[in-house]
Amino acid sequence: MSPPLTAVPAGRRHAWWSADPYTRALRTGRGPLFLHRADGRLLPLDVERWCARPDAADLTVLARCGGAVLDVGCGPGRLVTALAEQGRPALGIDVSGEAVRRTRRAGGTALVRSVFESLPREGRWRTALLMDGNIGIGGDPVALLTRMAQVVHPAGAVIVETAPPGTDDDLDELSQVRLDNGAGPHGDTFLWSRVGPLALNRHAEAAGWTAVGGWTAGERRFVALRPSTRATAPGGRRPAAREGAVRAVRVPGPAGDDG
């Protein structure tokens, strides 16, 4: 019988992505790298894309970012760096020291930090990004989105990348995984979630967010969330944005920078 799926203790968070295969992949800028599920299935991680310049799909996300941007799980920092090159305020956070070093070398600003730890500018970020499957962080999308409600400005927004086209829109999967470079699993087991856009909508509503639009770009799918007018303070949910407040993400068109 498999052990129950439980949250990874806070003290082990940094072990997830400091495992050697991930560090080596970031240093070389290439895979192969996978999440190895307990059932033996391998979920590929697109290291080459992460280490490259933003692609056309990324640009649709950057065009919708308003104000100061927090990239959660920034990896090697392609989005943070691109925003910096445009003169836009942005910070990446990642639990991998190698990811943060690579981001800084490329000209971006980043910190070694978990999203569940204290962050700069809490409650003032106008846009937060959960790209490249990072809605899966911690294996609990509701807990993650509830935390984002504490981090993002009441008039701000979160842009989430969901499972790609061709997967079930209602995919809602929780797995125990380990990193794998093709030679077998390595390092600690941790929890990871994968969700389609319909499942994301349910998790978002439970955490006090409302989907305001979604789009597909190439082989990737995205959903923009804003605070729900039904959200209340108890349970970590944020109060609704003020009437007439300027929101950081306007879907489907690009957003202005509202600071």
Side-chain angles (χ1 to χ4, degrees):
M1 180 177 179
S2 298
L5 297 180
T6 57
V8 175
R12 290 177 57 196
R13 285 184 191 134
H14 291 261
W16 300 355
W17 297 103
S18 60
D20 286 345
Y22 185 63
T23 299
R24 287 197 297 269
L26 290 187
R27 286 175 179 167
T28 62
R30 61 181 183 273
L33 192 65
F34 307 91
L35 295 180
H36 187 123
R37 299 190 346 169
D39 63 6
R41 181 181 174 192
L42 298 179
L43 303 175
L45 300 177
D46 199 349
V47 176
E48 288 84 355
R49 179 171 61 78
W50 298 350
C51 292
R53 299 284 299 174
D55 62 15
D58 291 328
L59 295 179
T60 70
V61 172
L62 296 179
R64 289 168 168 84
C65 290
V69 179
L70 178 69
D71 187 358
V72 177
C74 66
R78 71 188 188 283
L79 301 180
V80 172
T81 301
L83 289 165
E85 290 171 351
Q86 297 172 11
R88 303 169 67 184
L91 173 69
I93 59 170
D94 204 291
V95 297
S96 163
E98 183 61 30
V100 168
R101 285 189 289 272
R102 182 160 179 146
T103 299
R104 292 173 175 173
R105 287 197 299 268
T109 301
L111 295 175
V112 179
R113 199 72 57 88
S114 163
V115 68
F116 295 105
E117 297 170 345
S118 178
L119 298 175
R121 295 177 53 92
E122 288 213 15
R124 291 186 288 160
W125 295 101
R126 289 290 180 147
T127 307
L129 303 178
L130 290 168
M131 297 292 102
D132 304 322
N134 284 336
I135 187 63
I137 291 172
D140 187 341
V142 174
L144 178 56
L145 291 172
T146 298
R147 172 60 176 148
M148 299 313 299
Q150 300 167 348
V151 170
V152 175
H153 189 279
V158 178
I159 302 177
V160 180
E161 182 169 355
T162 70
T167 56
D168 184 0
D169 285 356
D170 206 23
L171 175 69
D172 195 359
E173 177 183 278
L174 174 63
S175 302
Q176 291 180 316
V177 299
R178 297 170 70 191
L179 289 170
D180 190 324
N181 64 358
H186 179 93
D188 290 337
T189 298
F190 57 95
L191 293 176
W192 196 256
S193 294
R194 298 172 69 227
V195 298
L198 293 182
L200 175 65
N201 289 350
R202 289 195 304 275
H203 294 315
E205 183 175 359
W209 297 90
T210 297
V212 295
W215 67 99
T216 299
E219 298 181 355
R220 300 167 64 193
R221 291 192 292 190
F222 308 92
V223 175
L225 307 174
R226 64 171 176 80
S228 171
T229 57
R230 296 186 297 277
T232 56
R237 299 182 187 179
R238 58 144 48 107
R242 297 185 303 276
E243 182 73 21
V246 176
R247 292 187 170 86
V249 172
R250 303 175 182 85
V251 177
D257 187 340
D258 59 272

